[in-house]
Amino acid sequence: MDEIYHMEEHFEPEALESLKESYRKIIEALGEDVSREGLLKTPERVAKAMAFMTHGYSVDPREIILSAKFQEDYKHMVLVKDIDLYSLCEHHLLPFYGKAHVAYIPNRYITGLSKIARVVDSFARRLQVQERLTVQIRDCIQEALDPLGVAVVIEASHMCMQIRGVQRLNSTTTTSAFTGVFLSQSKTREEFIHLIGSHLK
Ligand SMILES: [Zn+2]
């Protein structure tokens, strides 16, 4: 939880003020009365929420991994499964959320398991599309650790689809991105897919 407060403090006061002013205008444009009690503090609350939901811009995901990069001879799959993911669709500014599953096969170097989750979070907390998010996580780990391969699968529900009835309420979008042995060895890829229990073929 500490990190949350840290992120909010980290946000530039001027940017926060500008967001607040903009949200006040949006509420007015909706025909609402921003001075009524229930809405009085809404622009500030929404500005802070938006700042938090996009705090990934102030984080360098590569640095997160490099800060905990250790030499190790382990050469089997390292899998971090079911990482909670919350992001914002850049087309509608509405949340998409779900799970990320990330695996890599070390090549002399490993990183802390919590760092993988933080890399996912720092890319997710931006304006995103699920496809790019998947590839950015993959590339970051590949570049920072130079492993034998990286696999990323994201399963997410998009509110922009759900509220317009484009998708059935429970349907999810699955994206995947692989490098190295996950691409060249179907057995390794299949093992990963089996381990995460995905419906992905
Ligand atoms: Zn959308």
Side-chain angles (χ1 to χ4, degrees), residues 109-125:
Y109 293 100
I110 60 164
T111 188
L113 299 177
S114 68
K115 306 300 177 194
I116 300 285
R118 284 195 57 205
V119 165
V120 169
D121 199 58
S122 54
F123 280 119
R125 300 295 193 169

Side-chain angles (χ1 to χ4, degrees), residues 16-28 34-36 38-50:
L16 209 56
E17 194 54 43
S18 160
L19 274 176
K20 189 176 143 186
E21 189 52 34
S22 304
Y23 281 121
R24 209 176 57 77
K25 284 182 188 149
I26 289 170
I27 293 167
E28 275 174 351
V34 278
S35 65
R36 72 175 171 87
L39 290 176
L40 213 54
K41 294 197 103 182
T42 298
E44 186 181 347
R45 274 191 295 260
V46 182
K48 283 183 175 169
M50 184 54 91

Side-chain angles (χ1 to χ4, degrees), residues 32-146:
E32 266 285 4
D33 173 12
V34 278
S35 65
R36 72 175 171 87
E37 206 191 350
L39 290 176
L40 213 54
K41 294 197 103 182
T42 298
E44 186 181 347
R45 274 191 295 260
V46 182
K48 283 183 175 169
M50 184 54 91
F52 177 69
M53 288 187 288
T54 57
H55 74 237
Y57 288 120
S58 62
V59 183
D60 181 350
R62 198 165 168 270
E63 199 48 49
I64 291 171
I65 293 187
L66 295 180
S67 72
K69 185 177 173 181
F70 310 108
Q71 206 157 4
E72 191 63 61
D73 271 335
Y74 188 80
K75 284 217 167 169
H76 304 284
M77 192 184 302
V78 178
L79 169 65
V80 188
K81 201 176 131 170
D82 294 327
I83 301 167
D84 284 324
L85 176 131
Y86 299 96
S87 192
L88 273 184
C89 134
E90 69 183 16
H91 301 137
H92 302 91
L93 301 188
L94 287 170
F96 65 95
Y97 54 93
K99 301 280 184 192
H101 316 288
V102 179
Y104 70 98
I105 297 178
N107 176 25
R108 291 189 301 136
Y109 293 100
I110 60 164
T111 188
L113 299 177
S114 68
K115 306 300 177 194
I116 300 285
R118 284 195 57 205
V119 165
V120 169
D121 199 58
S122 54
F123 280 119
R125 300 295 193 169
R126 303 171 187 210
L127 304 187
Q128 277 289 7
V129 295
Q130 187 178 330
E131 294 85 343
R132 187 174 68 230
L133 174 60
T134 310
V135 169
Q136 283 177 334
I137 296 165
R138 178 199 68 184
D139 290 349
C140 176
I141 296 166
Q142 182 64 48
E143 282 162 27
L145 287 181
D146 191 29

